[in-house]
Amino acid sequence: MVSSEGLGASPPPAMATTATAAKQFGVTKPISVLGPTEVDVQRSMELEKFLVDAGLYESEEEALKRQMVLDRIGQIVKDWVKQLTRLRGYSDQMVEDANAVIFTFGSYRLGVHGPGADIDTLCVGPSYVNREEDFFFILHDILAQMEEVTELQPVPNAHVPVMKFKFDGISIDLLYASISLLVVPDDFDISQVSVLYDVDEPTVRSLNGCRVADQILKLVPNAENFRTTLRCLKLWAKRRGVYSNVTGFLGGVNWALLVARVCQLYPNAVPSMLVSRFFRVYTQWHWPNPVMLCPIEEDELGFSVWDPRKNPRDRTHHMPIITPAYPCMNSSYNVSTSTLRVMMEQFQFGNKICEEIELNKAQWNALFEPYMFFESYKNYLQVDVIADDADDLRSWKGWVESRLRQLTLMIERDTYGKLQCHPYPHEYVDTSKQCAHTAFFMGLQRKQGEKVQEGQQFDIRGTVDEFRHSVNMYMFWKPGMEIYVSHVRRRQIPSYVFPDGYKRARSRISTQHQGEKASSEDADVCKGESAERDLKKKKSPVGENVNQSGLKKRRSLSPYTCGSVSPEIVTDKPRNLSQENSILGLVGKGETSELNTTSQVGKSCDFQSINFSANTGSINQELKVAEVDERSKLENAEGGCASNFSAVRVLASEVGSCEGMQLDSTFGSSEGNNGSAEVSIDGSTNLGSSRSDSCEADSNSPLEVGCPEFAGGLREELEPNAVVGLALQPRGGMDPEVQKPVISSMAG
């Protein structure tokens, strides 16, 4: 049974480092083998107390219940395999020996799960029990008839086929792997490469979840320090909105690999030190240099491993984080240019807060302040997903969410990287709607430093249309499953996304590194607004004249509410535009540039000369000197706690797993991104007639919505405002007159 770790796992200050230093962890020597000071140990205790108070550790009762559920599922799959063995005419002895084994992986296997977390499980069965029929039909029907099982959802076509359900209230993700054995022993060793013999790639991906988790725990110097640090970083990533593999950020295994690499570089550090070093290392990491815990190994089984020298697709990966078990793969292939930019900004934020913590200028809670997404941009895309009932919505929104990453890639592609996207990995529900509803949001801004011309626009109507068509390919689509995509400005954000329906006043100086964006936003002028509104906006920033007696409650706004300025809809495509002018466009002047955190991405490299196990001894020696210099400054500082972070200049090539490895991060390339969309720019500064034309077009276009209550409310708001009315039409096709969004001024 996997139990929650106890506190107080940090080693004493006088811990000997010779034993750990004798063994090298990872592909390079450590940066520093220094152990913690008394101050570091005290900070680690404070950090662990913060994690406990945040509710990250489950109780003994919860841990016991999880183990009981796993034992129950284990017995169910054993009976299932015995039943199939008997039905297929095997001998009585074979039926008696028939077996299936349940393994866990993910956060539960790593020991970092918390209350309410799901359990990633893998069922390993014999060669004659298959996934397509036996698992997804027969076992599915067995589970469906059990009272303890609820919310049963098979996903057979996923990259890793999975069956999701709740068993006695515990969320379970169950995979299946059929191996080349007639009988699976109870003590089956899943870490052996031989388990991959004569299996297909989905089975390899299913087996590797457990194999990767085991390898991670073997490759870190101190498992308890690794677990505490990983708990901390996972909480931080969720609070800062960068925890989601499906959206294009990083998931649990990605964060585990990043933390494990830092543990290898600082083998004797305690959690407080490791958290600080984590941000220090990855703010300066030269992506797309790969993060690797061990050398990439080839094997005679012939499965493809991550190698940009041989595989052109691997060269398009922006943030390679390589799994340590054969066949080694990039676990973060979903990361795009836009999501990498967002994560680098958040790493900068974390690094700054950790500097302040080491200077005794901040406490740990400052590191975990929630990211104010709806105060960070001036323009957003809102994606509303509706269905007839909760069960339909669960599967429908899961499909839509899995395609949002493609929308980000399409926008990057069709605007040549000039329009940057920030998909937010949270869903919001308008409880005032009677139908099943959820909404996703995506922040939009033009690329910092880009020069724009008066009246230029981003026309992403074709991009959104292509996205809707791809979503409409859902094989389990039902009537009532609909999607709407709309462009909303900050002041149009519906109130249900804010706690208690209140919009927080925007401070002039943000503690979350968002003030730089605000200054750039206020310098721009939206051409769709009147001169008086422009003047008022410049003189009265949002949040400046808030009633001090209390926050004003905002009306619950639909994305189509007509009470605020809507983006202009271009109904006629302009002609005779040069390629240069058709690339981009935002209205506005007087930009202020912010830190370009992705300037290091996309450097070229000779892939034939990559050394995957480069010896960075001389470089690490320089970093050791820097660490000693930092430690001496810490000791001489007031109270022994001050830190001079300028003492360490960790270049990415110095810390990176592969010295000198620079991968070509070709913009816009991604798996499945083969479509095209036309980019259209309206250079006119007089958009009045455009609005009226688009309103008329939208009011005449069909708006088939499965939920009558939702449809009635939206139709009334849509017609006068004409922001966007993008309903998925029935399977017969789309109405060509349905309008698509045009982003007319992307100041934010």
Side-chain angles (χ1 to χ4, degrees):
M1 180 178 70
V2 180
S3 59
S4 301
E5 307 86 35
L7 299 182
S10 303
M15 181 186 75
T17 62
T18 55
T20 304
K23 179 180 179 181
Q24 175 180 315
F25 293 88
V27 295
T28 63
K29 293 182 179 179
I31 294 175
S32 172
V33 295
L34 293 177
T37 64
E38 292 184 1
V39 174
D40 293 323
V41 174
Q42 179 62 32
R43 286 203 187 101
S44 290
M45 294 175 63
E46 294 172 356
L47 175 60
E48 293 178 39
K49 182 180 184 303
F50 178 88
L51 299 180
V52 171
D53 294 341
L56 296 191
Y57 295 86
E58 68 178 358
S59 64
E60 293 183 2
E61 292 78 8
E62 290 173 310
L64 180 61
K65 182 178 180 180
R66 285 178 182 272
Q67 187 58 48
M68 293 176 61
V69 167
L70 287 175
D71 293 342
R72 182 78 175 94
I73 294 175
Q75 187 60 50
I76 291 171
V77 297
K78 289 179 189 294
D79 295 341
W80 164 62
V81 170
K82 289 181 182 293
Q83 174 187 337
L84 290 174
T85 306
R86 184 179 296 106
L87 289 175
R88 287 169 185 172
Y90 287 96
S91 64
D92 292 342
Q93 183 62 44
M94 188 70 172
V95 172
E96 182 179 349
D97 294 339
N99 192 29
V101 181
I102 290 291
F103 293 91
T104 61
F105 61 99
S107 62
Y108 189 88
R109 193 175 185 90
L110 291 174
V112 294
H113 62 285
D118 59 359
I119 306 179
D120 297 312
T121 56
L122 168 69
C123 174
V124 176
S127 58
Y128 56 87
V129 177
N130 62 57
R131 181 191 305 108
E132 291 75 15
E133 297 178 1
D134 299 333
F135 180 73
F136 278 113
F137 284 93
I138 298 178
L139 181 59
H140 173 273
D141 292 343
I142 292 174
L143 294 173
Q145 296 172 6
M146 303 183 67
E147 293 183 359
E148 304 100 315
V149 176
T150 58
E151 300 182 14
L152 182 60
Q153 180 185 358
V155 192
N157 296 317
H159 188 63
V160 181
V162 60
M163 195 144 54
K164 298 174 176 286
F165 57 92
K166 285 187 177 181
F167 195 100
D168 198 14
I170 302 295
S171 296
I172 302 292
D173 285 358
L174 180 62
L175 315 182
Y176 179 72
S178 174
I179 61 173
S180 55
L181 293 176
L182 288 177
V183 178
V184 180
D186 285 327
D187 59 350
F188 179 70
D189 185 4
I190 201 172
S191 64
Q192 298 297 319
V193 177
S194 59
V195 304
L196 304 178
Y197 176 74
D198 198 24
V199 298
D200 58 14
E201 291 202 3
T203 300
V204 172
R205 291 192 288 267
S206 299
L207 290 167
N208 262 14
C210 303
R211 290 160 45 78
V212 167
D214 288 346
Q215 280 294 100
I216 290 174
L217 293 176
K218 291 178 182 178
L219 292 172
V220 295
N222 186 306
E224 291 303 311
N225 288 344
F226 162 76
R227 290 189 176 108
T228 302
T229 306
L230 180 55
R231 284 185 185 272
C232 174
L233 268 302
K234 288 180 65 175
L235 175 63
W236 175 86
K238 292 175 181 178
R239 294 277 180 91
R240 303 302 296 177
V242 290
Y243 189 97
S244 173
N245 181 64
V246 68
T247 312
F249 294 105
L250 301 181
V253 67
N254 308 126
W255 292 105
L257 292 169
L258 291 182
V259 170
R261 182 62 183 135
V262 174
C263 291
Q264 291 180 338
L265 294 172
Y266 299 91
N268 296 309
V270 292
S272 63
M273 300 169 63
L274 291 170
V275 171
S276 175
R277 270 59 171 183
F278 177 93
F279 292 115
R280 186 185 308 174
V281 167
Y282 291 118
T283 53
Q284 301 177 72
W285 194 280
H286 280 197
W287 303 106
N289 281 334
V291 171
M292 300 188 301
L293 302 186
C294 60
I296 296 177
E297 297 180 358
E298 300 275 355
D299 193 270
E300 64 275 4
L301 293 181
F303 288 105
S304 176
V305 299
W306 187 86
D307 189 346
R309 298 168 299 186
K310 299 179 180 179
N311 307 320
R313 178 177 293 179
D314 293 343
R315 302 175 194 173
T316 68
H317 295 165
H318 300 287
M319 193 181 189
I321 303 173
I322 312 304
T323 56
Y326 175 83
C328 298
M329 309 173 185
N330 176 22
S331 63
S332 53
Y333 61 87
N334 277 352
V335 174
S336 67
T337 302
S338 289
T339 53
L340 176 58
R341 171 187 61 85
V342 172
M343 285 187 283
M344 292 300 294
E345 290 176 354
Q346 293 305 317
F347 288 160
Q348 294 283 356
F349 164 81
N351 190 47
K352 183 177 185 300
I353 296 299
C354 285
E355 289 179 7
E356 295 175 352
I357 291 174
E358 296 210 0
L359 292 171
N360 287 334
K361 294 181 179 180
Q363 301 297 321
W364 284 114
N365 62 322
L367 182 64
F368 301 95
E369 289 183 2
Y371 177 65
M372 306 307 296
F373 174 71
F374 293 108
E375 298 181 9
S376 301
Y377 299 91
K378 289 185 67 176
N379 294 272
Y380 298 84
L381 279 185
Q382 177 174 337
V383 180
D384 288 279
V385 183
I386 62 172
D388 283 344
D389 53 53
D391 290 336
D392 285 352
L393 181 64
R394 185 180 303 111
S395 59
W396 177 229
K397 76 177 180 182
W399 167 253
V400 174
E401 185 178 18
S402 71
R403 306 304 298 174
L404 288 178
R405 182 179 71 93
Q406 294 299 324
L407 177 58
T408 301
L409 296 173
M410 291 173 184
I411 293 175
E412 290 177 350
R413 176 199 66 197
D414 294 344
T415 62
Y416 299 85
K418 309 299 182 181
L419 182 59
Q420 295 178 330
C421 309
H422 179 175
Y424 199 51
H426 292 277
E427 60 184 72
Y428 299 89
V429 178
D430 187 355
T431 56
S432 67
K433 302 297 181 184
Q434 295 180 359
C435 62
H437 162 264
T438 192
F440 300 98
F441 290 85
M442 181 183 297
L444 299 172
Q445 70 176 9
R446 68 168 175 272
K447 186 176 181 180
Q448 296 298 319
E450 288 295 328
K451 295 182 179 180
V452 297
Q453 300 178 7
E454 288 289 335
Q456 286 183 327
Q457 295 179 327
F458 287 108
D459 185 349
I460 59 172
R461 295 177 298 176
T463 308
V464 171
D465 192 34
E466 181 184 355
F467 168 70
R468 293 189 302 116
H469 277 286
S470 69
V471 171
N472 199 27
M473 300 300 293
Y474 184 48
M475 64 183 301
F476 301 107
W477 184 89
K478 297 179 181 180
M481 293 181 174
E482 307 293 352
I483 179 175
Y484 296 84
V485 180
S486 59
H487 165 216
V488 294
R489 293 190 172 93
R490 184 192 296 144
R491 61 182 172 276
Q492 295 174 291
I493 296 296
S495 60
Y496 60 78
V497 307
F498 300 102
D500 302 320
Y502 290 97
K503 183 176 180 180
R504 185 177 303 182
R506 298 185 72 239
S507 59
R508 297 185 63 86
I509 302 177
S510 173
T511 60
Q512 303 182 28
H513 293 212
Q514 294 159 191
E516 297 89 347
K517 290 183 180 179
S519 62
S520 176
E521 292 169 0
D522 292 339
D524 290 310
V525 180
C526 296
K527 300 297 288 186
E529 302 180 7
S530 65
E532 292 88 2
R533 200 167 288 169
D534 291 340
L535 185 60
K536 181 184 294 185
K537 181 178 178 182
K538 288 200 172 190
K539 290 185 177 180
S540 303
V542 178
E544 195 171 75
N545 298 322
V546 177
N547 187 348
Q548 298 301 322
S549 62
L551 292 173
K552 182 179 180 181
K553 184 132 182 180
R554 303 175 72 242
R555 184 167 61 92
S556 179
L557 297 176
S558 161
Y560 318 106
T561 301
C562 58
S564 56
V565 177
S566 66
E568 307 302 337
I569 305 297
V570 177
T571 57
D572 297 320
K573 294 182 180 180
R575 301 177 181 178
N576 300 327
L577 285 178
S578 66
Q579 178 67 16
E580 179 181 359
N581 290 333
S582 66
I583 290 177
L584 58 322
L586 281 189
V587 179
K589 298 180 180 179
E591 299 179 83
T592 57
S593 60
E594 62 182 358
L595 178 63
N596 184 3
T597 57
T598 59
S599 60
Q600 57 195 3
V601 180
K603 299 182 182 296
S604 60
C605 168
D606 180 5
F607 292 97
Q608 301 304 322
S609 61
I610 295 174
N611 183 359
F612 282 91
S613 57
N615 185 356
T616 58
S618 61
I619 296 174
N620 285 337
Q621 183 63 33
E622 298 176 6
L623 292 172
K624 291 177 184 177
V625 174
E627 283 282 343
V628 172
D629 181 51
E630 179 191 11
R631 180 53 56 88
S632 65
K633 292 187 178 183
L634 283 172
E635 293 173 351
N636 295 331
E638 182 178 355
C641 302
S643 172
N644 184 354
F645 280 80
S646 63
V648 180
R649 301 297 185 211
V650 186
L651 300 178
S653 59
E654 298 169 352
V655 183
S657 304
C658 300
E659 182 180 21
M661 182 173 184
Q662 298 291 344
L663 304 184
D664 183 13
S665 180
T666 305
F667 166 76
S669 300
S670 177
E671 299 177 55
N673 188 16
N674 299 321
S676 62
E678 183 178 358
V679 178
S680 175
I681 305 296
D682 183 0
S684 173
T685 59
N686 182 6
L687 301 177
S689 60
S690 172
R691 173 182 298 186
S692 61
D693 292 341
S694 60
C695 289
E696 182 179 357
D698 267 326
S699 62
N700 293 329
S701 61
L703 185 62
E704 302 296 335
V705 185
C707 175
E709 186 273 343
F710 200 93
L714 289 188
R715 187 186 295 275
E716 294 175 359
E717 297 173 347
L718 172 67
E719 291 179 354
N721 195 27
V723 175
V724 154
L726 299 179
L728 273 181
Q729 301 300 316
R731 306 295 284 184
M734 302 297 301
D735 189 322
E737 294 300 320
V738 174
Q739 297 299 310
K740 300 153 240 177
V742 177
I743 309 304
S744 58
S745 61
M746 295 290 101

